[in-house]
Amino acid sequence: FRKLRETWSNSEPPAIPFLAITLKDLTFLEDGNPDNLQDGGINFYKWRKIAEIIQEVFEYQQTPYSPVINQALQAYIQNKVNRAKEYGTQGLFKLSKKLE
């Protein structure tokens, strides 16, 4: 996950977060840190780190995204979708078995 974290930290909004990393971080913070300290006080470190992760995701969601449509790519994908429909489920299954 190191490369993904590095890429994510260097990216500029808008971007789609890799949720596996975000959920992993939140899970480790939740499971690995007590809610309260030994003296009964609130573990503000834990809650601050959780808030930082959630805030980072929110920041990326607030930036509008205006995609540029690549007509050649769109036509290519549409062609592949149409061919897949022509094969049908059984035809695609047979083709998959043949290519194995």
Side-chain angles (χ1 to χ4, degrees):
F1 285 121
R2 186 179 337 134
K3 286 285 187 188
L4 286 171
R5 284 184 190 281
E6 186 179 310
T7 301
W8 173 252
S9 65
N10 293 331
S11 67
E12 293 291 325
I16 299 172
F18 186 60
L19 289 180
I21 292 176
T22 303
L23 294 176
K24 179 181 172 187
D25 290 346
L26 289 172
T27 299
F28 279 116
L29 279 168
E30 175 62 29
D31 294 346
N33 296 286
D35 292 340
N36 297 315
L37 301 173
Q38 290 179 346
D39 64 2
I42 296 172
N43 186 352
F44 283 106
Y45 170 80
K46 171 184 176 176
W47 298 110
R48 184 173 41 250
K49 294 303 282 180
I50 289 173
E52 286 173 6
I53 292 169
I54 294 171
Q55 181 62 38
E56 185 176 16
V57 172
F58 279 150
E59 287 174 11
Y60 280 88
Q61 289 179 338
Q62 298 306 314
T63 305
Y65 178 65
S66 301
V68 176
I69 297 173
N70 182 329
Q71 294 296 336
L73 178 60
Q74 200 166 21
Y76 174 81
I77 293 171
Q78 188 62 52
N79 181 22
K80 296 299 180 185
V81 168
N82 291 339
R83 285 188 61 205
K85 286 179 182 177
E86 290 172 9
Y87 276 108
T89 304
Q90 288 301 320
L92 289 172
F93 179 74
K94 288 177 185 176
L95 179 61
S96 172
K97 286 294 191 183
K98 180 181 173 183
L99 295 173
E100 282 185 346

